[in-house]
Amino acid sequence: MEEAERGGRRMAMYHRETDRERIERNAGAIFDLHASALAWLEEYTGIPFPFEKFDFVLVPAFQYGGMEHPGAIFYRADSLLLDESATQNAQLGRASLIAHETAHQWFGDLVTMPWFDDVWMKETFANFMAAKIVNPAFPEVDHDLRFLLAHYPAAYGVDRTAGANPIRQPLDNLNEAGTLYGAIIYQKAPIVFAHLERLIGEDALRDGLREYLGAHAYANAGWTDLIAILDARTTEDLAAWSRTWVEESGRPRVEVALETDGDGIARLAVRQSDPAEAGRLWNQRLELRLGYDDGESNTLAVHLRDAEAVVAEAAGLPAPDYVLANGAGLGYGLMALDPRTRDYLLAELPAIDEPLTRAIGWVSLWESLLEGDVGPEALIDLAQRALPAETDEQNVSRILGYLTSAYWRYLAPERRAALAPEIEALLWSGTAAAGSRSLAAAWFGAYRNVALSAEALVRLERIWREEEEVPGVPLAERDFTALAQGLAVRGVADSAEIVAAQRERIDNPDRRAAFEFVMPALSAEPEVRDAFFDSLREPANRAREPWVLTALRWLHHPLRARESEVYLRPGLDLLEEIQRTGDIFFPLSWLQTTLDGHQTASAAAIVEQYLADRPDLAPRLRAKALQAADGLLRAARIVEGSH
Ligand SMILES: [Zn+2]
């Protein structure tokens, strides 16, 4: 146990670490981070720390990063005891975790939600507070960019689907609590909370939270209690705001209407519509960015609450080369690009100065691809031009992700094969040119992911045989395992020998057992793969869920998709049993790993037939199926349409 005093308060840290140096290196920072989080929260809430003592316990193999027991926070020891080589990301992660758990002492412990339908609320609060506490201490990080990339793509991934769920969901039975969790709670709710602050103002939100905590101290209160308090502090109709943003699913379609008059703007307006055609209106404040080819830009605030908002001060400004409705990266919705903006971004996006604006452009272009407004080859071409010029590591990772998704999901196999050599060449030279080890690993991961040409397969095999090195990337056992599996699914001549040899290379018995479990899913023999899929009907064979998911990914790899289509219907038919026998995240992961490798109209038809045959499917399970099927249904339209 270590003790320290900060700001007149004694804190104790319990641990089982035997490495004295590791404790001494970290203890001071851990006490300081807790003390500064406490001081910030006391100031923000106007309520002194509400419990008698403030200790923390470092548990060696704790299943969560942290758990907010009042006065005695539990942490996974490794989350706080950092190595000397810890990256800035790890430092930021530790500071955020400490601020999150400390914020829970007020939001979650002092005031607790009455029931699980509001469990999202305390987690969102804790993250919202943690960002306010921690971000100023890391001025070198682009926090707006980090927030955009960490939240929007994942939130849209669910909210654009027919299976989208609201943030706040009724829950009848605690047994189903697990089904509440997902991207809508973890990624959409923080965005919506940031909107709330922009809508009513920072001071009104802080004062309302003070009243809420004071009125319900050491008791239970939920979302409706908070909205009632905040509603009294603003002219906005927060009950209506909460209905569309929190109690219902989905997002608006937002578009910019620009009328020019020679070289100037005659009229600029923003419009919204309800993709579900239910006439809903989403109330949000936006910042329109008007960009010009010479690098100049204008940012104009607009409050979109009706079907249209006119931006009066835009009249008379020079006509822009592009307009982004979510200029600051906070607007939420399907941000439809007007044709001029779309074409400008496809041609010139890499030349835009600000990393955040480039990221906003990418997120919008990806939505345009899914809507069928931008072709996959145009996006892949842009990625090839943008990647060598991209200076921000977060953006590089995001673009590599879009490139590989477009390549496997939205290109027909013959186009994929035709484009592979130039994409491989770009990714291999990018690996060599990357400045840092993490960046080089990201480039190489994408290279390994897309490799299809004979030349690339020869190189991957040489790397696996340790006859060639990857510049800047020291490979670990995990990498050699993935290389062997990737070579097997690509059907290289000696794949059986490679897989057998990789098995021998793995000494750890657990990792070897995992590898052996996956082996039949990679077999070149269709009968072996059939037998493996059949074995999954037995619940005992699904007990190691991460192994099952890895095997399903390989079984349904795009290169095997034609042959694995026969597993789609039986895989879907197992869904209800999977939910009964599996862990809470398993049904969605089962669906995703089953469907993600497919792109054909015949595969889409199998899913649609399943949904038509099963109107009795439990609503939450049906929603998961619709979420997981969204990419396949879009791919079938996009790929078939490109023929
Ligand atoms: Zn939490």
Side-chain angles (χ1 to χ4, degrees):
M1 196 256 286
E2 314 291 314
E3 269 192 297
E5 192 178 310
R6 295 287 190 280
R9 179 191 316 282
R10 289 207 74 74
M11 294 182 254
M13 175 169 84
Y14 296 85
H15 65 86
R16 291 167 53 84
E17 179 58 59
T18 49
D19 181 349
R20 197 58 226 161
E21 208 192 316
R22 199 162 179 234
I23 290 295
E24 271 158 23
R25 197 170 56 234
N26 285 289
I30 295 172
F31 284 118
D32 287 345
L33 287 165
H34 280 97
S36 57
L38 273 179
W40 192 94
L41 283 153
E42 288 187 330
E43 157 70 24
Y44 185 88
T45 63
I47 298 174
F49 175 68
F51 302 101
E52 274 172 41
K53 66 181 183 67
F54 187 69
D55 298 336
F56 24 101
V57 183
L58 278 56
V59 184
F62 195 46
Q63 70 265 46
Y64 310 108
M67 182 53 74
E68 67 263 23
H69 307 297
I73 301 172
F74 283 18
Y75 291 103
R76 184 185 304 149
D78 288 341
S79 310
L80 298 198
L81 299 175
L82 301 183
D83 293 329
E84 259 170 313
S85 60
T87 59
Q88 183 192 60
N89 225 4
Q91 307 266 5
L92 180 59
R94 172 172 75 176
S96 300
L97 175 63
I98 288 173
H100 177 105
E101 301 303 337
T102 306
H104 270 320
Q105 303 294 311
W106 284 262
F107 300 101
D109 290 342
L110 176 64
V111 178
T112 308
M113 76 267 180
W115 183 240
F116 265 78
D117 52 359
D118 275 334
V119 71
W120 67 276
M121 200 178 152
K122 75 178 173 72
E123 296 309 324
T124 306
F125 267 138
N127 278 343
F128 183 74
M129 296 297 155
K132 282 185 184 290
I133 294 167
V134 168
N135 289 0
F138 292 83
E140 60 284 12
V141 174
D142 187 335
H143 294 287
D144 291 339
L145 178 62
R146 196 179 154 89
F147 186 83
L148 179 90
L149 293 178
H151 294 90
Y152 283 75
Y156 289 166
V158 177
D159 233 4
R160 74 166 77 91
T161 76
N165 57 278
I167 291 173
R168 189 169 193 256
Q169 302 180 78
L171 181 73
D172 300 329
N173 187 330
L174 206 52
N175 285 336
E176 287 186 16
T179 64
L180 297 178
Y181 291 93
I184 293 299
I185 284 192
Y186 289 116
Q187 272 88 26
K188 185 182 178 182
I191 296 169
V192 168
F193 216 82
H195 276 204
L196 178 62
E197 188 178 45
R198 280 162 67 86
L199 192 66
I200 69 174
E202 281 181 38
D203 291 349
L205 179 64
R206 184 201 58 215
D207 294 346
L209 287 173
R210 286 179 174 181
E211 185 185 338
Y212 168 80
L213 290 169
H216 301 287
Y218 306 103
N220 302 100
W223 181 244
T224 45
D225 302 295
L226 178 62
I227 284 299
I229 287 172
L230 295 177
D231 212 8
R233 293 176 177 273
T234 174
T235 53
E236 298 292 336
D237 181 355
L238 283 192
W241 174 88
S242 174
R243 226 171 11 254
T244 41
W245 285 104
V246 178
E247 316 266 350
E248 291 181 15
S249 63
R251 55 181 187 163
R253 178 188 162 91
V254 177
E255 60 193 315
V256 172
L258 174 66
E259 289 165 32
T260 53
D261 172 5
D263 291 337
I265 296 175
R267 185 177 188 271
L268 179 65
V270 192
R271 295 180 187 144
Q272 63 170 320
S273 55
D274 183 354
E277 292 176 3
R280 293 176 295 174
L281 293 170
W282 283 259
N283 180 356
Q284 61 178 322
R285 289 184 185 276
L286 299 170
E287 283 180 24
L288 251 58
R289 183 188 174 88
L290 280 54
Y292 299 89
D293 202 33
D294 59 6
E296 293 294 309
S297 67
N298 272 311
T299 302
L300 304 174
V302 56
H303 190 165
L304 182 61
R305 39 152 63 114
D306 301 317
E308 182 179 87
V310 177
V311 190
E313 66 266 45
L317 290 175
D321 291 300
Y322 66 93
V323 187
L324 295 171
N326 58 338
L330 268 175
Y332 188 87
L334 170 56
M335 299 292 171
L337 301 173
D338 65 278
R340 181 189 175 102
T341 297
R342 179 194 64 207
D343 294 344
Y344 183 84
L345 292 178
L346 283 173
E348 303 293 342
L349 190 152
I352 294 175
D353 265 348
E354 302 77 12
L356 176 65
T357 306
R358 292 198 298 275
I360 293 164
W362 273 105
V363 171
S364 302
L365 285 171
W366 185 253
E367 295 294 318
S368 303
L369 178 146
L370 297 178
E371 291 294 303
D373 294 334
V374 166
E377 297 207 25
L379 200 86
I380 288 171
D381 177 68
L382 175 62
Q384 288 178 270
R385 284 181 287 116
L387 278 166
E390 182 55 59
T391 51
D392 188 285
E393 186 163 338
Q394 298 183 72
N395 278 344
V396 170
S397 301
R398 188 66 262 171
I399 300 169
L400 288 171
Y402 284 146
L403 171 64
T404 51
S405 298
Y407 176 84
W408 286 115
R409 194 90 201 238
Y410 300 105
L411 282 185
E414 60 277 11
R415 290 305 301 155
R416 207 186 285 148
L419 293 179
E422 57 182 90
I423 298 175
E424 292 162 358
L426 171 84
L427 296 175
W428 183 254
S429 64
T431 306
S436 70
R437 186 180 284 192
S438 62
L439 206 45
W443 281 91
F444 177 65
Y447 175 80
R448 194 174 71 197
N449 177 300
V450 304
L452 278 182
S453 73
E455 192 193 341
L457 297 194
V458 167
R459 175 179 276 147
L460 287 181
E461 186 165 340
R462 285 175 50 77
I463 292 168
W464 176 79
R465 292 189 187 281
E466 301 185 73
E467 294 164 5
E468 182 172 345
E469 294 199 338
V470 181
V473 186
L475 298 182
E477 182 190 283
R478 218 181 33 246
D479 299 300
F480 288 108
T481 297
L483 277 166
Q485 293 170 330
L487 288 165
V489 85
R490 284 162 174 80
V492 297
D494 41 5
S495 61
E497 180 244 312
I498 290 172
V499 169
Q502 183 60 32
R503 179 185 167 278
E504 291 309 309
R505 281 184 183 181
I506 303 172
D507 290 328
N508 177 291
D510 295 333
R511 288 201 297 276
R512 184 187 277 202
F515 188 80
E516 287 170 346
F517 182 89
V518 175
M519 277 170 66
L522 283 158
S523 172
E525 313 290 334
E527 313 80 61
V528 176
R529 301 202 300 270
D530 288 349
F532 173 76
F533 181 79
D534 277 335
S535 75
L536 296 179
R537 296 175 194 275
E538 187 59 50
N541 293 330
R542 302 192 300 261
R544 307 288 191 116
E545 293 176 358
W547 299 5
V548 174
L549 298 175
T550 304
L552 282 177
R553 277 215 183 278
W554 290 121
L555 194 72
H556 289 282
H557 189 279
L559 294 171
R560 292 265 170 85
R562 282 283 171 197
E563 295 158 77
S564 62
E565 233 171 74
V566 294
Y567 310 133
L568 288 179
R569 182 62 196 245
L572 292 166
D573 284 333
L574 278 169
L575 182 58
E576 287 154 302
E577 190 187 314
I578 297 282
Q579 187 179 37
R580 278 195 301 278
T581 59
D583 207 347
I584 58 171
F585 294 116
F586 199 43
L588 182 61
S589 309
W590 171 276
L591 287 162
Q592 286 167 333
T593 48
T594 296
L595 300 177
D596 278 356
H598 294 271
Q599 61 173 180
T600 60
S602 51
I606 292 169
V607 177
E608 283 171 332
Q609 188 61 50
Y610 166 75
L611 290 167
D613 290 347
R614 294 302 315 276
D616 58 317
L617 201 60
R620 274 191 230 275
L621 214 46
R622 187 179 191 82
K624 299 276 184 226
L626 287 165
Q627 289 173 20
D630 186 74
L632 166 58
L633 301 181
R634 289 178 195 270
R637 288 195 292 271
I638 291 167
V639 177
E640 301 293 320
S642 71
H643 281 298

